[in-house]
Amino acid sequence: DVKVTQSSRYLVKRTGEKVFLECVQDMDHENMFWYRQDPGLGLRLIYFSYDVKMKEKGDIPEGYSVSREKKERFSLILESASTNQTSMYLCASPPGTGGPDTQYFGPGTRLTVL
Amino acid sequence: AQSVTQPDIHITVSEGASLELRCNYSYGATPYLFWYVQSPGQGLQLLLKYFSGDTLVQGIKGFEAEFKRSQSSFNLRKPSVHWSDAAEYFCAVAFKAAGNKLTFGGGTRVLVKP
């Protein structure tokens, strides 16, 4: 069965801290995505990656960076956390390399920045 | 830029009654359309998708959706709702011309009355 895991379900950090959110998929997929989910706004794409060491900005990349050193792992980094980054963060990975395909989502990390 | 609108933020329905969730998208090209469900405390799960062919698509859990190009809509329906259908539902769209990136609607939260 397809599996996408995220390192934490809940995380509380302080303003200015550097925050790492980890996502691991066991499906040998090339594509991985990071979204944030906010009430009324749905999911918004932060960054995505089509291959190891490859990254592309999504719709709201400001304040975030990513790292993909291994195929199975895609990390989202908040260089200096701010209160407006309090949100639910979802990692996803579709199987395809070409057209759109079903995204398999992790359970999410609810981040609170104080 | 592509956008997805789910006009209803909340819907309350009685158990056994029918349910219809609305979804409209903007953009000119042929869309790839998805409906995802997020149950409380769970990740997103794909209900159904439309890429081409028959405009009425069947999904899991007894859901179906109809693509109407003339109305730029992809409404989700279920003839008889079960208490376990209480969840948040997200419509999403991708366009080949936009690099197949998924854009999500703001979501509709469904409450089921006994």
Side-chain angles (χ1 to χ4, degrees):
Chain A
D1 206 11
V2 167
K3 193 124 186 194
V4 178
T5 56
Q6 296 182 231
S7 51
S8 306
R9 292 299 299 271
Y10 299 93
L11 211 52
V12 179
K13 295 292 182 180
R14 296 206 174 274
T15 302
E17 279 192 77
K18 190 168 185 176
V19 182
F20 292 86
L21 303 182
E22 304 284 337
C23 174
V24 176
Q25 50 97 0
D26 65 355
M27 301 164 284
D28 201 36
H29 290 171
E30 294 181 357
N31 301 329
M32 296 185 76
F33 294 73
W34 273 108
Y35 297 89
R36 64 177 281 175
Q37 181 184 1
D38 300 289
L41 298 178
L43 279 73
R44 292 177 291 165
L45 182 62
I46 305 172
Y47 266 97
F48 58 103
S49 169
Y50 286 149
D51 204 348
V52 174
K53 296 193 185 293
M54 183 276 182
K55 59 186 178 185
E56 292 282 347
K57 292 180 180 178
D59 299 318
I60 52 164
E62 296 78 20
Y64 303 94
S65 63
V66 290
S67 172
R68 189 141 181 228
E69 296 296 320
K70 292 184 178 181
K71 192 174 186 179
E72 67 270 18
R73 187 180 300 270
F74 190 35
S75 303
L76 180 68
I77 304 159
L78 287 65
E79 296 289 343
S80 178
S82 63
T83 54
N84 63 13
Q85 292 178 310
T86 292
S87 187
M88 170 72 88
Y89 290 87
L90 293 166
C91 176
S93 182
T97 58
D101 211 328
T102 305
Q103 299 240 4
Y104 295 96
F105 283 86
T109 296
R110 187 166 294 282
L111 173 67
T112 301
V113 183
L114 303 175
Chain B
Q2 62 199 52
S3 66
V4 180
T5 302
Q6 293 180 245
D8 305 303
I9 297 174
H10 292 103
I11 285 182
T12 300
V13 61
S14 297
E15 193 167 13
S18 64
L19 174 68
E20 181 167 15
L21 304 182
R22 296 182 289 165
C23 172
N24 293 91
Y25 64 90
S26 69
Y27 206 66
T30 300
Y32 303 100
L33 298 156
F34 305 79
W35 274 100
Y36 284 86
V37 61
Q38 186 179 39
S39 299
Q42 305 293 315
L44 271 77
Q45 180 183 21
L46 180 73
L47 280 176
L48 47 79
K49 61 187 178 184
Y50 170 79
F51 284 3
S52 64
D54 192 345
T55 56
L56 184 64
V57 293
Q58 302 297 320
I60 62 171
K61 306 186 180 190
F63 284 92
E64 66 178 25
E66 186 172 13
F67 170 51
K68 292 186 178 179
R69 185 186 300 276
S70 60
Q71 298 176 18
S72 297
S73 70
F74 189 55
N75 294 350
L76 182 72
R77 298 192 292 255
K78 185 168 184 177
S80 177
V81 167
H82 187 262
W83 63 266
S84 60
D85 294 322
E88 189 155 22
Y89 293 80
F90 294 93
C91 180
V93 63
F95 295 94
K96 197 170 183 180
N100 296 319
K101 283 189 331 182
L102 271 184
T103 298
F104 285 82
T108 298
R109 187 170 295 279
V110 173
L111 304 174
V112 180
K113 293 190 302 184

